[in-house]
Amino acid sequence: MNSQTTPLLSVRNLKTHFFMDEGVVKAVDGVTFDVHPGQIFGIVGESGCGKSVTMKAVLRIVEPPGKIVNGEILLRRAKGNGSNGEVIDLATLAANGKRMRSIRGGEIALIPQEPMAAFSPVHTVGDQIIEAIMLHQTVSQRAARKIALQMFKDVGIPIPDQRLDEYAWQLSGGLRQRAIIAMALSCNPRLLIADEPTTAVDVTTQAQVLRLLRRLQEDRNAAIIFITHDLGVIAQMASYVMVMYLGLVMEEGPVDEIFHAPQHPYTQALLRSIPSVNSAPRVNLPTISGSIPHPFNKPRGCPFHPRCEKLIAGKCDARTPALQTVAEKQLVSCFLYHDVEVAS
Amino acid sequence: MTNHPTIQLPNHPTTQRLLEVKNLHKYFPIRKGFFRKTIGNVRAVDDVSFFVNEGETLGLVGESGCGKTTTARCILRALTPTSGEMLFRPKAGQTVDLAKLSRQGLRPLRPQMQMIFQDPYGSLNPRMTLFDIVGEPLLVNGMKNRKERTERVAEILRLVGLRPEYMQRYPHAFSGGQRQRIGIARALALHPRLVVADEPVSALDVSVQAQILNLLLELQKRLHLTYLFVAHNLSVVKHISDRVAVMYVGKIVETATTQALFNSPKHPYTAALLAAVPVPDPRVRTGNVELKGEVPSPANPPSGCYFHPRCGYAVDICRVQAPVFREIVPSHFVSCHRADELKLQGIA
Ligand SMILES: Nc1ncnc2c1ncn2[C@@H]1O[C@H](COP(=O)(O)OP(=O)(O)OP(=O)(O)O)[C@@H](O)[C@H]1O
Ligand SMILES: Nc1ncnc2c1ncn2[C@@H]1O[C@H](COP(=O)(O)OP(=O)(O)OP(=O)(O)O)[C@@H](O)[C@H]1O
Ligand code: SF4
Ligand SMILES: [Mg+2]
Ligand SMILES: [Mg+2]
């Protein structure tokens, strides 16, 4: 297990809120997790639960009116380049300062959720990758192009020389996704954040992209934070899984425990409700009643309590359970397992 | 126009065909230059044949751009097919060819064929109340009495799991899943026989998707509906379908009962699709067989079998001759030269 190693990234009680005219959206409201070197750390949850905002906070690219209002984002830096492996709190850095800019795209790279956002339409993909390489490494333009070309080869782009001189919109969905991965990897990141890297592509392309990411992680021993709402993808990719709901962590643990011994009622219900190619056809699926509340109407207490079949009246609807270790390796925030509530 | 022979559909005396599509083609011209000269065609639907029996669900799967929506829109005559037949058996009277009917001739049949769309946000008029959205088709079809209409709308809303008290609300007041229920209510208002659902759960959250799938199954039983269910998600299609048709670059490459298609696929493309689906169980490793390359453009499809450049089983004949779509075992149709000899892996 990875828990023996020192974490590469430790997020502690992170809160990121959006201050809107209509009110405050508490998109991320007290999230804690550790990512270890070489780990594929999966984050699952339905739309709006705060997956992307958590990662934007880590990269310090939360757009206004959003703000990190609490918490620590501790990154253990690589040795060398004048650093001796010290830990810095990214939450305290200036979002556009020199240090944060060298970390973003350098030590931590992002595959963004919107594939078109990754590349500008007015420059060729090659020029953009070369620019990124030159920003983080002291190399000549020519050497940077060589690195970019090698990256395109590594991610399996056919005729890479020609593709470098094309624009993002000229590439098919599958090729564009590979180019984005090539760009993210061009500076040898120690942590790659992949935010729904396969939602926009077809299932056969998805299989290609997932294989590619797995191979890169093995070859380079980089850590990957893999975000998706697809439980199939998470089961196949992640070694450790964190389940989010309405800005909070409901449960986390090793992938096998999450899928074969889920503890939180939300994880259990979510797993039951998905049709699978392995399940019997045309029988009713067990469902979760109701729908995800609007972010302005977050319920009091446990965020899942209005939809929970096991709710303890007077408790779950009044107090918010904290994330606690329950089984050997699993952490759950649910009063069925403990009595610890979130400090207010 | 093509060298593909017509398929022979067997006669099932017990089950009634509601819809039978034969050699359907839909080409979109590619125009260029000042005179908008046609320089080629996008063969969006390229000789497609299938049937749907009364009361069953036929799932239509395939990757983006393979022609699923175009096929669905042809059947509902939102598009006029380039050629082919679409035989529909109406509630009363003789079987008609939807491809040949005029607008006038189609009008009495429209209520019997309805569509459910993917996007529950975009497909509802934001300025209409629930009552207007669901009641409009009733009004258009002659239910002038408001009280009668209110009663019928309330009945349909209850049927799809919405409260009749919400009748005066606007779509923005509803969640994604509720909006999809509204879309279903509107489609059901006129007692249709054939419901074409184009990716009806693709935009929904996982927990809500299950609710809508259950609703569709329940409504089918209660109202004896026939579904043509279009989707790209194989797990969803498996869940809802009695039979499944797999499309690739404008063609149907395989059709079989759901069980047969998933357990013993006969077409290498179907097998590749099944292998690519990530199974939600970390103890089962999937995605080990890689399908190389990309889906070709329907404007410029490959020679012979359209799948041959990506197929691991391709032999010389595959490159030059298009395989015939044929019934290889009863009710199992496939177009692959090697379908008889290949032993392909399905999902147990
Ligand atoms: N720029 C913004 N302004 C206001 N609210 C925002 C902004 N960005 C995100 N939010 C809100 O924060 C919450 C979390 O959003 P986030 O994008 O992190 O969700 P997600 O889990 O990534 O969902 P998805 O699966 O749809 O990508 C949502 O309620 C969203 O509406
Ligand atoms: N009006 C049109 N004019 C020209 N080409 C079109 C038109 N409509 C569709 N096409 C093309 O026809 C092909 C089939 O498109 P269609 O929308 O039927 O695919 P689909 O299987 O529904 O895909 P998706 O899963 O992305 O919805 C595509 O190549 C598409 O670009
Ligand atoms: S006909 Fe040939 S190329 Fe096409 S699927 Fe069969 S074996 Fe593969
Ligand atoms: Mg997101
Ligand atoms: Mg479509």
Short mmCIF file of all heavy atoms in Angstrom, two decimals, chain A residues 46-47 172 202 204 206 208 211 232 235-236 256 259-260 273-275 277-279 281-285 287-288 290 292 307, chain B residues 57 63-64 205-207 210-211 214 217 220 235 238-240 242 273 278-286 288 290-291 293-294:
data_model
loop_
_atom_site.label_atom_id
_atom_site.label_comp_id
_atom_site.label_asym_id
_atom_site.label_seq_id
_atom_site.Cartn_x
_atom_site.Cartn_y
_atom_site.Cartn_z
N GLU A 46 -21.42 12.83 -8.70
CA GLU A 46 -22.30 13.30 -9.75
C GLU A 46 -22.05 14.78 -10.03
O GLU A 46 -21.36 15.47 -9.28
CB GLU A 46 -23.75 13.03 -9.35
CG GLU A 46 -24.02 11.54 -9.21
CD GLU A 46 -25.43 11.26 -8.74
OE1 GLU A 46 -25.68 11.25 -7.53
OE2 GLU A 46 -26.29 11.08 -9.60
N SER A 47 -22.67 15.24 -11.11
CA SER A 47 -22.45 16.61 -11.57
C SER A 47 -22.65 17.63 -10.45
O SER A 47 -23.61 17.57 -9.71
CB SER A 47 -23.43 16.90 -12.72
OG SER A 47 -23.09 18.10 -13.32
N SER A 172 -9.17 15.20 -34.86
CA SER A 172 -10.36 14.47 -34.42
C SER A 172 -10.37 14.43 -32.89
O SER A 172 -9.35 14.72 -32.24
CB SER A 172 -10.31 13.04 -34.95
OG SER A 172 -9.30 12.33 -34.29
N ASP A 202 -15.60 8.65 -27.64
CA ASP A 202 -16.31 7.38 -27.72
C ASP A 202 -15.62 6.28 -26.93
O ASP A 202 -14.45 6.39 -26.60
CB ASP A 202 -16.41 6.96 -29.18
CG ASP A 202 -17.63 7.54 -29.83
OD1 ASP A 202 -18.71 7.43 -29.24
OD2 ASP A 202 -17.50 8.12 -30.91
N THR A 204 -14.42 3.34 -27.72
CA THR A 204 -13.17 2.72 -28.19
C THR A 204 -12.00 3.70 -28.04
O THR A 204 -10.90 3.29 -27.69
CB THR A 204 -13.27 2.24 -29.66
OG1 THR A 204 -13.58 3.35 -30.51
CG2 THR A 204 -14.33 1.19 -29.82
N GLN A 206 -11.95 6.00 -25.73
CA GLN A 206 -11.77 6.03 -24.28
C GLN A 206 -10.82 4.92 -23.85
O GLN A 206 -9.90 5.15 -23.06
CB GLN A 206 -13.12 5.85 -23.60
CG GLN A 206 -13.02 5.56 -22.11
CD GLN A 206 -14.37 5.61 -21.44
OE1 GLN A 206 -14.91 6.67 -21.20
NE2 GLN A 206 -14.91 4.45 -21.13
N GLN A 208 -8.51 3.57 -25.55
CA GLN A 208 -7.14 3.93 -25.97
C GLN A 208 -6.53 4.94 -25.00
O GLN A 208 -5.38 4.80 -24.58
CB GLN A 208 -7.17 4.56 -27.38
CG GLN A 208 -7.57 3.61 -28.49
CD GLN A 208 -7.77 4.33 -29.83
OE1 GLN A 208 -7.73 5.55 -29.89
NE2 GLN A 208 -7.99 3.56 -30.88
N ARG A 211 -5.67 3.37 -21.57
CA ARG A 211 -4.44 2.56 -21.65
C ARG A 211 -3.21 3.45 -21.66
O ARG A 211 -2.23 3.16 -20.97
CB ARG A 211 -4.46 1.73 -22.94
CG ARG A 211 -5.15 0.41 -22.81
CD ARG A 211 -5.40 -0.16 -24.18
NE ARG A 211 -4.15 -0.59 -24.81
CZ ARG A 211 -3.80 -1.87 -24.88
NH1 ARG A 211 -4.58 -2.81 -24.36
NH2 ARG A 211 -2.68 -2.23 -25.47
N GLY A 232 -17.51 2.80 -13.99
CA GLY A 232 -16.76 1.78 -14.71
C GLY A 232 -15.33 2.24 -14.93
O GLY A 232 -14.38 1.48 -14.68
N ALA A 235 -13.37 2.16 -11.64
CA ALA A 235 -13.02 0.80 -11.21
C ALA A 235 -11.82 0.28 -11.98
O ALA A 235 -10.98 -0.44 -11.43
CB ALA A 235 -14.21 -0.15 -11.42
N GLN A 236 -11.73 0.65 -13.26
CA GLN A 236 -10.64 0.15 -14.09
C GLN A 236 -9.35 0.92 -13.89
O GLN A 236 -8.27 0.39 -14.12
CB GLN A 236 -11.05 0.18 -15.57
CG GLN A 236 -12.19 -0.78 -15.91
CD GLN A 236 -11.85 -2.22 -15.59
OE1 GLN A 236 -10.74 -2.68 -15.84
NE2 GLN A 236 -12.79 -2.93 -15.00
N ASP A 256 -10.90 -1.66 -4.29
CA ASP A 256 -11.61 -2.91 -4.07
C ASP A 256 -12.63 -2.80 -2.94
O ASP A 256 -13.75 -3.29 -3.03
CB ASP A 256 -10.62 -4.04 -3.77
CG ASP A 256 -11.26 -5.39 -4.00
OD1 ASP A 256 -11.47 -5.74 -5.17
OD2 ASP A 256 -11.57 -6.08 -3.00
N PHE A 259 -15.75 -0.73 -4.07
CA PHE A 259 -16.68 -1.45 -4.94
C PHE A 259 -17.25 -2.72 -4.31
O PHE A 259 -18.36 -3.12 -4.63
CB PHE A 259 -16.03 -1.77 -6.29
CG PHE A 259 -16.02 -0.59 -7.23
CD1 PHE A 259 -15.02 0.37 -7.15
CD2 PHE A 259 -17.04 -0.42 -8.15
CE1 PHE A 259 -15.02 1.47 -7.99
CE2 PHE A 259 -17.06 0.69 -8.99
CZ PHE A 259 -16.05 1.63 -8.92
N HIS A 260 -16.50 -3.36 -3.42
CA HIS A 260 -16.99 -4.62 -2.88
C HIS A 260 -17.45 -4.54 -1.43
O HIS A 260 -18.14 -5.43 -0.95
CB HIS A 260 -15.94 -5.72 -3.07
CG HIS A 260 -15.83 -6.13 -4.50
ND1 HIS A 260 -16.74 -6.98 -5.10
CD2 HIS A 260 -14.97 -5.75 -5.47
CE1 HIS A 260 -16.43 -7.12 -6.38
NE2 HIS A 260 -15.36 -6.38 -6.63
N SER A 273 -27.36 1.55 -8.46
CA SER A 273 -28.23 2.17 -9.45
C SER A 273 -27.67 2.17 -10.87
O SER A 273 -28.36 2.59 -11.79
CB SER A 273 -28.55 3.61 -9.04
OG SER A 273 -27.41 4.43 -9.22
N ILE A 274 -26.44 1.71 -11.06
CA ILE A 274 -25.91 1.77 -12.43
C ILE A 274 -26.20 0.49 -13.19
O ILE A 274 -25.98 -0.61 -12.70
CB ILE A 274 -24.39 2.03 -12.48
CG1 ILE A 274 -23.66 1.16 -11.46
CG2 ILE A 274 -24.08 3.50 -12.31
CD1 ILE A 274 -22.17 1.12 -11.68
N PRO A 275 -26.72 0.62 -14.43
CA PRO A 275 -26.83 -0.57 -15.26
C PRO A 275 -25.42 -0.97 -15.70
O PRO A 275 -24.57 -0.12 -15.90
CB PRO A 275 -27.66 -0.11 -16.46
CG PRO A 275 -27.48 1.36 -16.53
CD PRO A 275 -27.13 1.84 -15.15
N VAL A 277 -22.98 -3.81 -18.19
CA VAL A 277 -23.05 -4.82 -19.24
C VAL A 277 -23.10 -6.22 -18.64
O VAL A 277 -23.44 -7.18 -19.32
CB VAL A 277 -21.88 -4.72 -20.25
CG1 VAL A 277 -22.13 -3.64 -21.27
CG2 VAL A 277 -20.56 -4.54 -19.55
N ASN A 278 -22.78 -6.34 -17.36
CA ASN A 278 -22.81 -7.65 -16.72
C ASN A 278 -24.12 -7.95 -16.01
O ASN A 278 -24.35 -9.06 -15.56
CB ASN A 278 -21.70 -7.75 -15.66
CG ASN A 278 -20.34 -7.71 -16.28
OD1 ASN A 278 -19.77 -6.64 -16.44
ND2 ASN A 278 -19.83 -8.85 -16.66
N SER A 279 -25.00 -6.94 -15.88
CA SER A 279 -26.20 -7.19 -15.10
C SER A 279 -27.34 -7.68 -15.98
O SER A 279 -27.30 -7.58 -17.20
CB SER A 279 -26.60 -5.92 -14.34
OG SER A 279 -26.83 -4.86 -15.24
N PRO A 281 -30.71 -7.88 -18.02
CA PRO A 281 -31.46 -6.84 -18.71
C PRO A 281 -32.91 -6.74 -18.28
O PRO A 281 -33.49 -7.70 -17.76
CB PRO A 281 -31.36 -7.25 -20.18
CG PRO A 281 -31.08 -8.69 -20.18
CD PRO A 281 -30.37 -9.01 -18.90
N ARG A 282 -33.48 -5.59 -18.47
CA ARG A 282 -34.91 -5.33 -18.34
C ARG A 282 -35.49 -5.63 -16.96
O ARG A 282 -36.63 -6.03 -16.83
CB ARG A 282 -35.70 -6.04 -19.45
CG ARG A 282 -35.35 -5.49 -20.82
CD ARG A 282 -36.14 -6.11 -21.94
NE ARG A 282 -37.56 -5.79 -21.88
CZ ARG A 282 -38.07 -4.64 -22.29
NH1 ARG A 282 -37.30 -3.70 -22.76
NH2 ARG A 282 -39.37 -4.42 -22.21
N VAL A 283 -34.70 -5.50 -15.92
CA VAL A 283 -35.26 -5.56 -14.57
C VAL A 283 -35.10 -4.17 -13.97
O VAL A 283 -34.21 -3.42 -14.35
CB VAL A 283 -34.52 -6.59 -13.68
CG1 VAL A 283 -34.82 -8.00 -14.13
CG2 VAL A 283 -33.02 -6.34 -13.69
N ASN A 284 -35.96 -3.83 -13.04
CA ASN A 284 -35.88 -2.51 -12.44
C ASN A 284 -34.58 -2.32 -11.67
O ASN A 284 -34.13 -3.22 -10.97
CB ASN A 284 -37.05 -2.31 -11.47
CG ASN A 284 -38.15 -1.51 -12.14
OD1 ASN A 284 -38.03 -1.15 -13.32
ND2 ASN A 284 -39.19 -1.22 -11.40
N LEU A 285 -34.00 -1.16 -11.83
CA LEU A 285 -32.79 -0.84 -11.08
C LEU A 285 -33.19 -0.21 -9.76
O LEU A 285 -34.11 0.60 -9.72
CB LEU A 285 -31.96 0.18 -11.87
CG LEU A 285 -31.33 -0.28 -13.17
CD1 LEU A 285 -30.90 0.93 -13.99
CD2 LEU A 285 -30.15 -1.17 -12.90
N THR A 287 -33.16 2.56 -7.22
CA THR A 287 -32.84 3.96 -7.47
C THR A 287 -32.61 4.71 -6.16
O THR A 287 -32.95 4.23 -5.08
CB THR A 287 -33.98 4.66 -8.22
OG1 THR A 287 -35.16 4.57 -7.42
CG2 THR A 287 -34.22 4.03 -9.55
N ILE A 288 -32.04 5.90 -6.30
CA ILE A 288 -31.95 6.82 -5.18
C ILE A 288 -33.11 7.79 -5.36
O ILE A 288 -33.26 8.36 -6.44
CB ILE A 288 -30.62 7.60 -5.20
CG1 ILE A 288 -29.44 6.63 -5.32
CG2 ILE A 288 -30.49 8.47 -3.96
CD1 ILE A 288 -28.08 7.30 -5.39
N GLY A 290 -35.48 11.08 -5.27
CA GLY A 290 -35.20 12.51 -5.37
C GLY A 290 -34.05 12.81 -6.30
O GLY A 290 -33.59 11.96 -7.05
N ILE A 292 -30.35 15.60 -6.92
CA ILE A 292 -29.33 16.38 -6.22
C ILE A 292 -29.88 17.78 -5.95
O ILE A 292 -30.36 18.43 -6.87
CB ILE A 292 -28.07 16.46 -7.09
CG1 ILE A 292 -27.56 15.03 -7.35
CG2 ILE A 292 -27.00 17.30 -6.42
CD1 ILE A 292 -26.48 14.97 -8.40
N ARG A 307 -32.15 12.08 0.89
CA ARG A 307 -32.30 10.97 -0.06
C ARG A 307 -31.90 9.64 0.57
O ARG A 307 -31.91 8.61 -0.09
CB ARG A 307 -31.42 11.23 -1.29
CG ARG A 307 -31.71 12.55 -1.97
CD ARG A 307 -30.77 12.81 -3.14
NE ARG A 307 -31.10 12.01 -4.30
CZ ARG A 307 -30.34 11.93 -5.38
NH1 ARG A 307 -29.21 12.59 -5.44
NH2 ARG A 307 -30.71 11.19 -6.41
N THR B 57 -38.43 -3.43 -27.43
CA THR B 57 -37.46 -2.35 -27.53
C THR B 57 -36.32 -2.79 -28.41
O THR B 57 -35.70 -3.83 -28.14
CB THR B 57 -36.91 -1.97 -26.15
OG1 THR B 57 -37.98 -1.60 -25.31
CG2 THR B 57 -35.93 -0.80 -26.26
N GLU B 63 -20.90 4.36 -32.27
CA GLU B 63 -20.13 5.51 -31.83
C GLU B 63 -20.59 6.79 -32.52
O GLU B 63 -21.29 6.75 -33.52
CB GLU B 63 -18.65 5.25 -32.08
CG GLU B 63 -18.14 4.10 -31.23
CD GLU B 63 -16.67 3.84 -31.43
OE1 GLU B 63 -16.30 3.20 -32.41
OE2 GLU B 63 -15.89 4.29 -30.59
N SER B 64 -20.16 7.89 -31.97
CA SER B 64 -20.58 9.21 -32.46
C SER B 64 -20.43 9.33 -33.98
O SER B 64 -19.41 8.95 -34.54
CB SER B 64 -19.73 10.28 -31.77
OG SER B 64 -20.22 11.54 -32.11
N ASP B 205 -27.70 12.64 -14.52
CA ASP B 205 -26.81 12.11 -13.50
C ASP B 205 -27.07 10.64 -13.29
O ASP B 205 -28.18 10.15 -13.50
CB ASP B 205 -27.04 12.86 -12.19
CG ASP B 205 -26.15 14.07 -12.11
OD1 ASP B 205 -24.94 13.90 -12.34
OD2 ASP B 205 -26.66 15.16 -11.84
N VAL B 206 -26.03 9.94 -12.84
CA VAL B 206 -26.12 8.50 -12.68
C VAL B 206 -27.33 8.09 -11.84
O VAL B 206 -28.07 7.17 -12.19
CB VAL B 206 -24.84 7.95 -12.01
CG1 VAL B 206 -24.82 6.45 -12.03
CG2 VAL B 206 -23.61 8.50 -12.71
N SER B 207 -27.56 8.78 -10.73
CA SER B 207 -28.63 8.36 -9.83
C SER B 207 -30.00 8.62 -10.44
O SER B 207 -30.98 7.94 -10.13
CB SER B 207 -28.52 9.05 -8.48
OG SER B 207 -28.75 10.44 -8.60
N ALA B 210 -31.12 5.98 -13.58
CA ALA B 210 -31.81 4.73 -13.22
C ALA B 210 -33.32 4.97 -13.07
O ALA B 210 -34.13 4.13 -13.47
CB ALA B 210 -31.22 4.18 -11.92
N GLN B 211 -33.69 6.12 -12.51
CA GLN B 211 -35.13 6.41 -12.33
C GLN B 211 -35.82 6.48 -13.69
O GLN B 211 -36.92 5.96 -13.87
CB GLN B 211 -35.31 7.76 -11.62
CG GLN B 211 -34.76 7.81 -10.20
CD GLN B 211 -34.75 9.23 -9.64
OE1 GLN B 211 -35.10 10.19 -10.33
NE2 GLN B 211 -34.34 9.36 -8.39
N ASN B 214 -36.11 3.02 -15.38
CA ASN B 214 -37.21 2.26 -14.76
C ASN B 214 -38.56 2.75 -15.25
O ASN B 214 -39.46 1.95 -15.54
CB ASN B 214 -37.15 2.39 -13.23
CG ASN B 214 -36.03 1.57 -12.63
OD1 ASN B 214 -35.40 0.77 -13.31
ND2 ASN B 214 -35.78 1.78 -11.34
N LEU B 217 -39.31 1.50 -18.75
CA LEU B 217 -39.68 0.08 -18.74
C LEU B 217 -41.11 -0.11 -18.24
O LEU B 217 -41.89 -0.88 -18.80
CB LEU B 217 -38.72 -0.73 -17.85
CG LEU B 217 -37.34 -1.05 -18.45
CD1 LEU B 217 -36.44 -1.67 -17.39
CD2 LEU B 217 -37.47 -1.98 -19.65
N GLN B 220 -43.67 1.11 -20.76
CA GLN B 220 -43.78 0.19 -21.88
C GLN B 220 -44.74 -0.94 -21.56
O GLN B 220 -45.60 -1.28 -22.36
CB GLN B 220 -42.40 -0.37 -22.21
CG GLN B 220 -42.44 -1.40 -23.34
CD GLN B 220 -41.07 -1.69 -23.87
OE1 GLN B 220 -40.13 -1.93 -23.12
NE2 GLN B 220 -40.93 -1.65 -25.18
N SER B 235 -24.10 -0.27 -21.75
CA SER B 235 -24.73 -0.79 -20.53
C SER B 235 -26.19 -0.38 -20.48
O SER B 235 -27.05 -1.17 -20.11
CB SER B 235 -24.02 -0.25 -19.29
OG SER B 235 -22.63 -0.40 -19.41
N LYS B 238 -28.12 -2.34 -23.12
CA LYS B 238 -28.34 -3.71 -22.70
C LYS B 238 -29.48 -3.76 -21.69
O LYS B 238 -30.30 -4.67 -21.70
CB LYS B 238 -27.08 -4.30 -22.07
CG LYS B 238 -27.33 -5.74 -21.64
CD LYS B 238 -26.14 -6.41 -21.03
CE LYS B 238 -26.53 -7.84 -20.65
NZ LYS B 238 -25.57 -8.46 -19.78
N HIS B 239 -29.50 -2.76 -20.83
CA HIS B 239 -30.50 -2.77 -19.78
C HIS B 239 -31.92 -2.68 -20.30
O HIS B 239 -32.83 -3.30 -19.76
CB HIS B 239 -30.24 -1.63 -18.80
CG HIS B 239 -31.17 -1.65 -17.65
ND1 HIS B 239 -31.08 -2.60 -16.66
CD2 HIS B 239 -32.25 -0.90 -17.35
CE1 HIS B 239 -32.06 -2.41 -15.81
NE2 HIS B 239 -32.78 -1.38 -16.20
N ILE B 240 -32.13 -1.93 -21.36
CA ILE B 240 -33.50 -1.61 -21.79
C ILE B 240 -33.99 -2.42 -22.99
O ILE B 240 -35.19 -2.52 -23.22
CB ILE B 240 -33.61 -0.09 -22.08
CG1 ILE B 240 -35.06 0.38 -22.19
CG2 ILE B 240 -32.86 0.30 -23.32
CD1 ILE B 240 -35.42 1.39 -21.15
N ASP B 242 -34.74 -5.47 -25.91
CA ASP B 242 -34.99 -6.88 -26.20
C ASP B 242 -34.06 -7.36 -27.29
O ASP B 242 -33.58 -8.48 -27.28
CB ASP B 242 -36.43 -7.08 -26.69
CG ASP B 242 -37.44 -6.71 -25.64
OD1 ASP B 242 -37.55 -7.47 -24.66
OD2 ASP B 242 -38.09 -5.66 -25.78
N LEU B 273 -16.31 -3.31 -29.38
CA LEU B 273 -17.08 -2.37 -28.55
C LEU B 273 -17.28 -2.95 -27.16
O LEU B 273 -17.09 -2.26 -26.15
CB LEU B 273 -18.47 -2.14 -29.16
CG LEU B 273 -18.71 -1.01 -30.13
CD1 LEU B 273 -20.18 -0.92 -30.44
CD2 LEU B 273 -18.20 0.32 -29.58
N PRO B 278 -15.70 -0.16 -19.91
CA PRO B 278 -15.11 -0.38 -18.59
C PRO B 278 -16.16 -0.92 -17.62
O PRO B 278 -17.19 -0.29 -17.39
CB PRO B 278 -14.63 1.01 -18.16
CG PRO B 278 -15.26 1.99 -19.08
CD PRO B 278 -15.93 1.27 -20.20
N VAL B 279 -15.91 -2.08 -17.09
CA VAL B 279 -16.87 -2.72 -16.19
C VAL B 279 -16.68 -2.17 -14.77
O VAL B 279 -15.54 -2.07 -14.30
CB VAL B 279 -16.68 -4.25 -16.22
CG1 VAL B 279 -17.50 -4.94 -15.15
CG2 VAL B 279 -17.05 -4.79 -17.60
N PRO B 280 -17.76 -1.82 -14.10
CA PRO B 280 -17.62 -1.23 -12.75
C PRO B 280 -17.27 -2.26 -11.68
O PRO B 280 -17.97 -2.40 -10.69
CB PRO B 280 -18.98 -0.57 -12.50
CG PRO B 280 -19.93 -1.31 -13.38
CD PRO B 280 -19.15 -1.79 -14.56
N ASP B 281 -16.22 -3.01 -11.92
CA ASP B 281 -15.74 -3.95 -10.92
C ASP B 281 -14.22 -4.05 -11.06
O ASP B 281 -13.71 -4.54 -12.06
CB ASP B 281 -16.37 -5.33 -11.15
CG ASP B 281 -15.92 -6.33 -10.09
OD1 ASP B 281 -14.99 -6.01 -9.30
OD2 ASP B 281 -16.48 -7.43 -10.05
N PRO B 282 -13.49 -3.59 -10.03
CA PRO B 282 -12.03 -3.58 -10.15
C PRO B 282 -11.44 -4.99 -10.24
O PRO B 282 -10.28 -5.14 -10.64
CB PRO B 282 -11.58 -2.89 -8.85
CG PRO B 282 -12.73 -2.94 -7.93
CD PRO B 282 -13.96 -3.01 -8.76
N ARG B 283 -12.23 -6.02 -9.90
CA ARG B 283 -11.68 -7.38 -9.98
C ARG B 283 -11.76 -7.95 -11.39
O ARG B 283 -11.18 -8.99 -11.68
CB ARG B 283 -12.43 -8.31 -9.02
CG ARG B 283 -12.15 -7.95 -7.57
CD ARG B 283 -12.88 -8.85 -6.61
NE ARG B 283 -12.76 -8.31 -5.26
CZ ARG B 283 -13.44 -8.78 -4.22
NH1 ARG B 283 -14.29 -9.78 -4.37
NH2 ARG B 283 -13.29 -8.23 -3.04
N VAL B 284 -12.54 -7.28 -12.25
CA VAL B 284 -12.65 -7.71 -13.65
C VAL B 284 -11.87 -6.70 -14.48
O VAL B 284 -12.22 -5.54 -14.53
CB VAL B 284 -14.12 -7.73 -14.10
CG1 VAL B 284 -14.24 -8.18 -15.55
CG2 VAL B 284 -14.95 -8.58 -13.17
N ARG B 285 -10.80 -7.14 -15.11
CA ARG B 285 -10.01 -6.21 -15.92
C ARG B 285 -10.54 -6.17 -17.35
O ARG B 285 -10.58 -7.18 -18.04
CB ARG B 285 -8.54 -6.63 -15.93
CG ARG B 285 -7.77 -6.10 -14.74
CD ARG B 285 -7.61 -4.56 -14.80
NE ARG B 285 -7.29 -4.03 -13.47
CZ ARG B 285 -7.99 -3.08 -12.86
NH1 ARG B 285 -9.05 -2.55 -13.43
NH2 ARG B 285 -7.65 -2.65 -11.67
N THR B 286 -10.96 -4.99 -17.78
CA THR B 286 -11.44 -4.85 -19.15
C THR B 286 -10.56 -3.85 -19.89
O THR B 286 -9.69 -3.22 -19.30
CB THR B 286 -12.90 -4.34 -19.18
OG1 THR B 286 -12.98 -3.14 -18.41
CG2 THR B 286 -13.85 -5.37 -18.62
N ASN B 288 -8.47 -4.56 -22.34
CA ASN B 288 -7.15 -5.06 -22.67
C ASN B 288 -6.92 -5.20 -24.17
O ASN B 288 -5.81 -5.13 -24.65
CB ASN B 288 -6.91 -6.41 -21.99
CG ASN B 288 -6.92 -6.26 -20.48
OD1 ASN B 288 -6.45 -5.25 -19.96
ND2 ASN B 288 -7.48 -7.23 -19.79
N GLU B 290 -7.13 -3.69 -27.64
CA GLU B 290 -7.25 -2.32 -28.14
C GLU B 290 -7.70 -2.32 -29.59
O GLU B 290 -7.17 -3.04 -30.43
CB GLU B 290 -5.92 -1.58 -28.01
CG GLU B 290 -6.07 -0.13 -28.39
CD GLU B 290 -4.84 0.69 -28.01
OE1 GLU B 290 -3.83 0.11 -27.57
OE2 GLU B 290 -4.90 1.91 -28.15
N LEU B 291 -8.71 -1.50 -29.87
CA LEU B 291 -9.14 -1.28 -31.24
C LEU B 291 -8.34 -0.09 -31.74
O LEU B 291 -8.45 1.01 -31.22
CB LEU B 291 -10.63 -0.98 -31.26
CG LEU B 291 -11.28 -0.82 -32.63
CD1 LEU B 291 -11.08 -2.07 -33.46
CD2 LEU B 291 -12.76 -0.54 -32.46
N GLY B 293 -6.75 2.85 -34.34
CA GLY B 293 -7.24 3.78 -35.35
C GLY B 293 -8.52 4.47 -34.97
O GLY B 293 -8.95 4.42 -33.83
N GLU B 294 -9.13 5.12 -35.94
CA GLU B 294 -10.29 5.95 -35.68
C GLU B 294 -11.43 5.57 -36.61
O GLU B 294 -11.23 4.94 -37.64
CB GLU B 294 -9.92 7.42 -35.94
CG GLU B 294 -8.63 7.84 -35.29
CD GLU B 294 -8.81 9.03 -34.38
OE1 GLU B 294 -9.81 9.75 -34.56
OE2 GLU B 294 -7.96 9.22 -33.50
#
